[in-house]
Amino acid sequence: MAKESGVLLQVDKMKTVFQTQSGYIEAVNGISFHIKKGETVAIVGESGSGKSVSAMSILRLLEKSGKVSSGRILFKDINLNELSDEEIRKVRGKEIAMIFQDPMSCLDPVYTIGDQIIEAIKIHEDLPKKEYYSRAVELLQLVGLPDAKARMSIYPHQLSGGQRQRVMIAIALACRPNLIIADEPTTALDVTVQAQIMELLKKLQTELGTAIILVTHDLGVVAEMADRVVVVYAGQVVEESNVIDLFNKPEHPYTEALLQSVPRIETNKNERLMAIKGSVPSLYDMPTGCRFHPRCPYASEICRQEEPPLMNLGENHYSKCWIKEKDIKKVMQNVNHNEQEDIEIIDSPHFGKHQNKKILEVHGLKKYFPITKGFFSRTVGYVRAVDGLSFDIHEGETLGLVGESGCGKSTSGRLITSLLKPTGGSVTFNGQDISRINRHALKKVRQRIQFVFQDPYSTLNPRMTVGDIIGEPLEVHRLVKGTEKYARIVELLETVGLTRNDIQKFPHQFSGGQRQRIGIARALATEPDLLICDEAVSALDVSVQAQILNLLRDLQQKLGLSYLFISHDLNVVKYISHRVCVMYLGEIVEIADSEVLFQNPLHPYSQALISAVPIPDPEGKSERIILEGEVPSPSNPPSGCKFHTRCLIATDTCQTQQPDLKEVSPGHKVACHNY
Amino acid sequence: MQELQTVEKVILKENTKMFQFKENCRRFIRSNPIGTISIGFILLVILISVLAPIIAPYDPVLQNRQSILIGPNGTHILGTDELGRDVFSRIVYGSRISLLVGFSAVVFSMIFGIFFGVVSGYFGGVIDMIVQRIMDAIMSIPSLILALFIAALLGPAIQNVIIALVIVETPRFARIVRGEMLRIRETNYVEASRSIGSSVFRIIWKHAIPNMGAPIIVLASLAFGQSIIAEASLSFLGIGTPPPNPSWGLMLSDASRFMETAPWLVLFPGLALALCVLAFNLLGDALRDFLDPKISSKK
């Protein structure tokens, strides 16, 4: 890469190593990229690809065991890697600032936000006392916190997640840095808040001309924000290009697969997702040659033997792949596609039909958690987590449940499985009211309703083998014993795509995707009718997420399962569900067939939610409805229509009267006064 | 075929668990030289106590008026006491009492502690309130004074010393187990197990207890050392092991009168006691470092 004019930061063959018990491991293996003034460069990759470590390496913010072992990091012609600790401290915050993922843990809870912003200025600038204060107020106004003066004396816990992220941005901007490194700045936020923060970052960039390095795994965010994209895989750059070329004609097979494995709003539901087989290699065990070859559909002998160089394909488009002749690639792609189609065609007998009988009916379901205070635990109020929920699920159907955090979607799942006792309402499963049955009968029902949890890391007991984990439901319900049990466990493992050799392994020996498969196998052990998937793919990388989504759909085909699919990811919900419920503050605001809902959302909240989802297409930037504020607290919900505080078309009626869920067309219900 | 598979399964399972155990031992020896020495010393003490009749050259309670208060020499390598009993033999037999008291006190307080801790942590509410207040009350009295009181009440006998120590040690285990139970109760794998219909007993037995092993093992090793020293203290004060049994604390007590004329009488039992307690404490520290993933990963 030749040095061009206006280059702000040039990272050149940077290697970062960590010392571990078994020697040094390379987290970053020779990454090079540059960023110009006022530009946004996105570093994209899956977990473990080294994207965050690269970002931290620039400012040498690594843990003690890690260090940049070779390469240069040139910032304004100074090699940051050669600076002393004292010198680099002057660069941090002043020249290059960072925004972290989790705004909850990055602010010190014992200082006011004003103090924390002032501290950031004080470290680098010597000003008269009054000016610190006015600068801080200015910064808060800049990041769009209303009533900035009053907010100066507020503590972090008094702010919501989105507001805290704004404060973090204000701190990052405190000394007008030339470069901001934003490590997953919106990942921990809800979609509607994410949209606000992305708008803010873009606005600030045009106003202040700051360059941004955006580290993210979300291709939607990349398409929205970035000018250029650097794709990293296993500690190496595999492709670099401007954003439009990258999305339109990805060159590296990994980029290509990554783009195809994300379900989009327009993805055809009857197609399988293109999944990348396997998972990201461990740092301890890197493949030889091209690091992507074990997962690459085009891999040939040379890929296994030799590592490809980063090849220039013209127009500043680089790809680290041996296959550069487009035609050859096309041919291979065709061969490959044929192969894939043989295995991966799905036609769906159950799909799209829900005349089948109802398997689950939920009516007026409520859950109030008491808020207690004082020595005698007086109840002073209630958190209305779920407030009158009604829906039903048919046999072989997938019902999606979407909403932002705190809307009560996970609580609903737990109420249906009686992990929590409802405050009111009924849950009828196969014609039996299960919200008020005794323990014995409940155990029988639990055999038929199973749960797939979000986090595949923490839902498996670390001290049990996979065989014991999957065998547990069989034991609990005394279904099979001895050799029969073993045979059943093997069968289950094979159903979810694992092998019989995995039976005596422990959970920590598996990757995230494989653990989720174990979780699914456990859920299937009792041959249930209904699976409740609570954010079942949210903790997984996109390439693995596609595998699990495909698996869930295959299982539905094969076993005729019904799913209640709870997720905050609208694209995933759209892809997998037949019908979708949109929840807001414990209530359903809209329910419709998924195609209908996404094409013609009626409720203002559904409209905003759907438009807030970042679309992985840099040219298809649609007009976005940006909602003000954040979800109110469920302990003190607004009167009337709960959404009226954020609604753009709210009238006086909305403030006083609660709208009912009305059927506007067959199967499409909405709770809004405008319909 | 099916049977073959079960056999294969059993073997494979044995292999991995065995393999893991060996692997862990190797890692422990490499990362914790002090802990390894402690374990070695403790194993040696156990061996000595088991083989006491073979190792000890004399009967520990046999009095010999001809040779009283003789310093270490060829026939009595650690000398004799005021009644002509062989000090070395008494120390060897004394290890039996120390280990017996330590072991029983730890095992019983662990069982009671786990029971109260699990019940208190899992069910919470009023039960938790009551159990924890009782534990608080016991813990608020200095442990040796409480043990003294109980032992004095029950009279001098080895089993009474054990009872006193169990009462003193139980709250510590109950505390730790309750904390762990509260943590584990909220974990996702417990919820996952509840969702498949597991009973309370199963959750506690299969999920909770195996996952609280690390802190319990550490505490047990520390409590072992403390129990040994408490037994010696009680015996020293004359309300522990009754004479003429060869307890280290009792030996120290008898020897205190001859401290100036026969220092070996204090020195050797004291040394045995100190080394033994030190070994258990160092082992506890080493285990804590080893079992805490946060500390061991830093090394």
Side-chain angles (χ1 to χ4, degrees):
Chain A
M1 259 170 278
K3 224 170 135 210
E4 291 160 55
S5 58
V7 170
L8 191 63
L9 176 80
Q10 168 97 42
V11 174
D12 205 10
K13 299 196 185 80
M14 179 176 72
K15 272 191 187 183
T16 304
V17 295
F18 285 91
Q19 192 178 14
T20 65
Q21 282 178 331
S22 44
Y24 282 102
I25 53 162
E26 276 180 1
V28 174
N29 186 314
I31 278 184
S32 304
F33 65 91
H34 68 280
I35 181 165
K36 291 183 219 160
K37 283 192 179 110
E39 199 183 23
T40 303
V41 171
I43 302 180
V44 192
E46 295 179 280
S47 58
S49 62
K51 57 185 192 305
S52 286
V53 175
S54 314
M56 301 295 256
S57 300
I58 294 170
L59 280 178
R60 302 228 312 260
L61 286 171
L62 298 162
E63 289 173 50
K64 263 208 174 132
S65 58
K67 65 165 198 260
V68 178
S69 65
S70 70
R72 292 185 306 166
I73 305 157
L74 289 178
F75 178 74
K76 291 182 169 173
D77 295 324
I78 306 164
N79 190 352
L80 299 183
N81 199 20
E82 284 168 0
L83 295 183
S84 68
D85 286 351
E86 190 57 30
E87 285 166 324
I88 189 119
R89 221 169 51 75
K90 290 196 178 119
V91 176
R92 291 179 191 154
K94 172 90 179 130
E95 302 279 352
I96 306 178
M98 275 207 80
I99 302 172
F100 295 93
Q101 170 172 0
D102 187 3
M104 314 290 163
S105 56
C106 287
L107 290 170
D108 190 328
V110 301
Y111 293 105
T112 63
I113 58 169
D115 284 345
Q116 298 190 45
I117 298 173
I118 289 171
E119 193 197 1
I121 310 171
K122 257 189 197 165
I123 292 171
H124 296 291
E125 283 174 45
D126 217 4
L127 297 173
K129 234 182 176 179
K130 271 187 185 160
E131 261 181 64
Y132 285 125
Y133 187 82
S134 55
R135 271 278 288 281
V137 174
E138 243 172 74
L139 283 164
L140 281 181
Q141 281 162 346
L142 192 68
V143 296
L145 266 191
D147 209 2
K149 268 206 177 126
R151 301 277 168 129
M152 287 288 286
S153 52
I154 262 180
Y155 288 91
H157 71 267
Q158 291 166 294
L159 296 173
S160 66
Q163 288 170 330
R164 275 182 237 185
Q165 195 58 297
R166 284 174 195 266
V167 173
M168 282 301 296
I169 295 171
I171 291 174
L173 290 172
C175 294
R176 299 281 151 97
N178 289 307
L179 175 65
I180 289 180
I181 300 172
D183 188 358
E184 305 268 11
T186 58
T187 307
L189 306 172
D190 283 321
V191 265
T192 57
V193 182
Q194 166 174 302
Q196 294 168 3
I197 297 292
M198 287 199 306
E199 277 310 300
L200 174 70
L201 283 173
K202 274 194 275 186
K203 194 191 92 190
L204 291 173
Q205 189 171 31
T206 43
E207 278 174 21
L208 308 173
T210 319
I212 298 178
I213 294 179
L214 182 74
V215 178
T216 184
H217 70 283
D218 188 333
L219 292 164
V221 173
V222 172
E224 291 288 327
M225 300 277 301
D227 300 315
R228 277 189 310 120
V229 185
V230 176
V231 183
V232 290
Y233 181 80
Q236 297 178 327
V237 175
V238 294
E239 185 162 1
E240 183 188 336
S241 157
N242 72 52
V243 69
I244 293 172
D245 283 351
L246 188 93
F247 281 87
N248 287 346
K249 36 175 193 176
E251 289 293 339
H252 196 281
Y254 175 64
T255 318
E256 193 185 6
L258 206 56
L259 286 169
Q260 284 176 17
S261 60
V262 195
R264 306 180 188 199
I265 297 274
E266 71 274 7
T267 303
N268 184 351
K269 302 178 56 144
N270 296 319
E271 274 171 24
R272 283 179 75 98
L273 287 174
M274 160 92 185
I276 311 177
K277 61 187 174 187
S279 54
V280 179
S282 144
L283 290 172
Y284 294 94
D285 187 22
M286 272 298 162
T288 57
C290 170
R291 291 187 168 181
F292 186 59
H293 87 255
R295 305 177 71 193
C296 182
Y298 314 118
S300 59
E301 202 42 50
I302 187 162
C303 304
R304 278 179 271 276
Q305 305 289 339
E306 266 179 80
E307 191 182 318
L310 196 62
M311 298 192 202
N312 192 343
L313 307 167
E315 294 161 33
N316 289 324
H317 197 149
Y318 302 88
S319 169
K320 192 183 178 71
C321 182
W322 286 116
I323 310 153
K324 52 183 169 179
E325 307 288 319
K326 276 256 161 180
D327 303 333
I328 299 174
K329 195 169 160 186
K330 277 263 159 57
V331 172
M332 296 180 79
Q333 196 167 3
N334 284 339
V335 172
N336 193 267
H337 258 248
N338 288 340
E339 259 175 39
Q340 280 201 330
E341 269 161 39
D342 285 342
I343 329 160
E344 299 201 348
I345 280 181
I346 43 169
D347 65 337
S348 34
H350 296 282
F351 237 72
K353 295 174 195 167
H354 41 84
Q355 303 92 324
N356 300 345
K357 81 174 178 63
K358 286 177 184 174
I359 186 163
L360 182 81
E361 288 170 77
V362 174
H363 190 75
L365 195 63
K366 281 182 188 161
K367 179 70 189 177
Y368 293 175
F369 294 103
I371 307 168
T372 55
K373 230 184 188 170
F375 187 73
F376 294 104
S377 304
R378 244 172 340 117
T379 303
V380 291
Y382 291 98
V383 175
R384 299 174 185 202
V386 175
D387 201 2
L389 205 63
S390 304
F391 60 82
D392 38 39
I393 300 176
H394 301 261
E395 250 173 24
E397 186 194 35
T398 304
L399 180 73
L401 202 58
V402 289
E404 294 177 284
S405 57
C407 74
K409 51 189 194 305
S410 288
T411 308
S412 312
R414 283 170 172 71
L415 288 172
I416 290 164
T417 44
S418 291
L419 283 173
L420 289 173
K421 284 271 163 240
T423 313
S426 67
V427 179
T428 313
F429 178 74
N430 270 340
Q432 183 189 12
D433 185 351
I434 59 169
S435 55
R436 269 170 283 276
I437 53 176
N438 64 30
R439 246 193 4 210
H440 196 69
L442 183 65
K443 197 170 160 183
K444 282 235 163 66
V445 171
R446 283 209 165 130
Q447 216 173 315
R448 316 251 47 96
I449 307 181
Q450 287 284 319
F451 217 101
V452 179
F453 292 87
Q454 168 172 12
D455 185 356
Y457 294 89
S458 64
T459 48
L460 305 176
N461 186 340
R463 304 211 175 250
M464 282 166 87
T465 63
V466 169
D468 290 337
I469 289 169
I470 299 174
E472 189 174 21
L474 300 173
E475 257 174 55
V476 167
H477 296 286
R478 300 200 175 85
L479 294 175
V480 283
K481 273 193 187 143
T483 49
E484 234 180 293
K485 184 175 135 195
Y486 176 69
R488 176 89 180 113
I489 294 171
V490 169
E491 186 192 327
L492 284 163
L493 279 173
E494 281 164 2
T495 313
V496 297
L498 296 169
T499 63
R500 91 168 28 170
N501 295 332
D502 295 329
I503 203 165
Q504 77 283 357
K505 289 190 195 161
F506 287 90
H508 67 85
Q509 292 167 289
F510 294 88
S511 68
Q514 286 172 319
R515 284 187 219 201
Q516 195 57 296
R517 285 173 195 267
I518 297 168
I520 293 171
R522 170 173 62 187
L524 291 176
T526 56
E527 298 178 327
D529 304 317
L530 175 67
L531 277 194
I532 296 179
C533 305
D534 186 4
E535 303 274 9
V537 296
S538 306
L540 305 173
D541 281 320
V542 276
S543 67
V544 178
Q545 170 180 309
Q547 294 170 7
I548 299 294
L549 288 174
N550 285 340
L551 173 68
L552 286 172
R553 290 193 42 182
D554 290 345
L555 291 171
Q556 186 164 48
Q557 301 283 311
K558 224 173 11 181
L559 309 170
L561 294 169
S562 308
Y563 294 135
L564 175 64
F565 197 89
I566 301 168
S567 179
H568 69 281
D569 187 331
L570 280 95
N571 292 330
V572 168
V573 167
K574 158 96 192 319
Y575 173 72
I576 200 157
S577 313
H578 302 118
R579 285 189 303 140
V580 176
C581 288
V582 182
M583 280 185 78
Y584 187 77
L585 275 179
E587 288 174 358
I588 292 178
V589 295
E590 188 163 1
I591 179 166
D593 281 358
S594 81
E595 294 292 335
V596 176
L597 182 78
F598 282 83
Q599 238 129 66
N600 181 26
L602 293 178
H603 198 282
Y605 178 64
S606 316
Q607 289 169 354
L609 201 61
I610 290 166
S611 86
V613 179
I615 305 158
D617 179 4
E619 287 164 313
K621 285 176 187 168
S622 59
E623 270 310 296
R624 158 167 304 166
I625 306 164
I626 304 263
L627 285 180
E628 298 269 313
E630 288 170 48
V631 184
S633 157
S635 59
N636 186 20
S639 60
C641 172
K642 286 182 178 174
F643 185 60
H644 83 255
T645 51
R646 300 173 75 196
C647 186
L648 301 172
I649 53 168
T651 60
D652 291 345
T653 350
C654 300
Q655 289 179 28
T656 50
Q657 257 181 304
Q658 199 180 343
D660 298 323
L661 201 60
K662 290 180 288 260
E663 189 149 21
V664 287
S665 61
H668 193 164
K669 290 183 193 165
V670 61
C672 181
H673 288 301
N674 291 303
Y675 300 98
Chain B
M1 183 64 192
Q2 289 266 308
E3 263 168 78
L4 249 178
Q5 285 173 353
T6 14
V7 173
E8 160 194 305
K9 174 196 166 190
V10 172
I11 291 169
L12 282 172
K13 203 170 153 183
E14 287 291 317
N15 273 348
T16 47
K17 283 206 169 149
M18 219 27 229
F19 177 75
Q20 284 221 329
F21 180 70
K22 278 186 192 159
E23 193 59 22
N24 280 336
C25 289
R26 219 168 287 149
R27 204 156 58 87
F28 182 81
I29 291 169
R30 216 178 319 130
S31 64
N32 271 305
I34 293 175
T36 312
I37 294 170
S38 308
I39 288 187
F41 184 79
I42 291 165
L43 288 176
L44 183 73
V45 174
I46 292 172
L47 199 71
I48 288 175
S49 71
V50 171
L51 301 178
I54 299 170
I55 293 171
Y58 300 94
D59 184 337
V61 292
L62 183 74
Q63 303 184 359
N64 184 353
R65 300 282 163 172
Q66 265 82 58
S67 50
I68 53 170
L69 294 175
I70 302 174
N73 60 33
T75 41
H76 299 280
I77 48 171
L78 297 183
T80 59
D81 67 5
E82 77 279 11
L83 296 174
R85 295 173 295 196
D86 182 47
V87 173
F88 178 66
S89 304
R90 285 180 71 75
I91 289 178
V92 166
Y93 273 91
S95 69
R96 285 186 157 187
I97 289 176
S98 288
L99 289 183
L100 173 76
V101 170
F103 183 76
S104 332
V106 166
V107 166
F108 286 112
S109 49
M110 201 153 84
I111 292 171
F112 290 125
I114 288 175
F115 175 77
F116 287 120
V118 161
V119 166
S120 180
Y122 191 88
F123 296 101
V126 183
I127 300 174
D128 184 32
M129 237 310 252
I130 295 168
V131 172
Q132 288 308 311
R133 291 304 80 77
I134 294 171
M135 298 299 159
D136 285 346
I138 298 175
M139 282 181 96
S140 65
I141 307 167
S143 53
L144 192 64
I145 299 195
L146 183 66
L148 205 69
F149 173 71
I150 298 165
L153 213 65
L154 297 172
I158 293 177
Q159 63 268 34
N160 293 346
V161 173
I162 293 171
I163 292 171
L165 291 178
V166 168
I167 293 173
V168 170
E169 295 285 348
T170 299
R172 296 165 188 241
F173 282 96
R175 269 286 167 80
I176 282 207
V177 170
R178 172 177 175 267
E180 285 292 294
M181 191 66 230
L182 286 178
R183 176 182 67 80
I184 292 167
R185 194 180 63 175
E186 299 305 320
T187 58
N188 288 324
Y189 54 81
V190 165
E191 192 175 29
S193 185
R194 282 209 310 136
S195 80
I196 60 171
S198 300
S199 62
V200 172
F201 182 74
R202 184 186 181 85
I203 287 169
I204 289 172
W205 192 247
K206 286 258 178 177
H207 294 285
I209 292 178
N211 277 296
M212 52 178 76
I216 293 179
I217 289 171
V218 173
L219 184 62
S221 135
L222 296 173
F224 209 115
Q226 273 159 2
S227 302
I228 290 175
I229 216 162
E231 184 272 334
S233 310
L234 292 177
S235 301
F236 186 87
L237 296 170
I239 45 176
T241 313
N245 294 320
S247 152
W248 293 344
L250 204 56
M251 288 168 77
L252 285 172
S253 168
D254 293 342
S256 59
R257 283 179 288 149
F258 307 99
M259 196 119 80
E260 273 147 37
T261 49
W264 62 88
L265 287 184
V266 184
L267 183 65
F268 295 115
L271 207 59
L273 184 67
L275 285 177
C276 215
V277 174
L278 186 67
F280 277 106
N281 284 353
L282 289 176
L283 175 65
D285 282 348
L287 283 173
R288 178 163 47 211
D289 292 354
F290 180 71
L291 295 170
D292 186 340
K294 274 182 228 139
I295 296 175
S296 65
S297 68
K298 267 186 201 154
K299 283 182 183 169

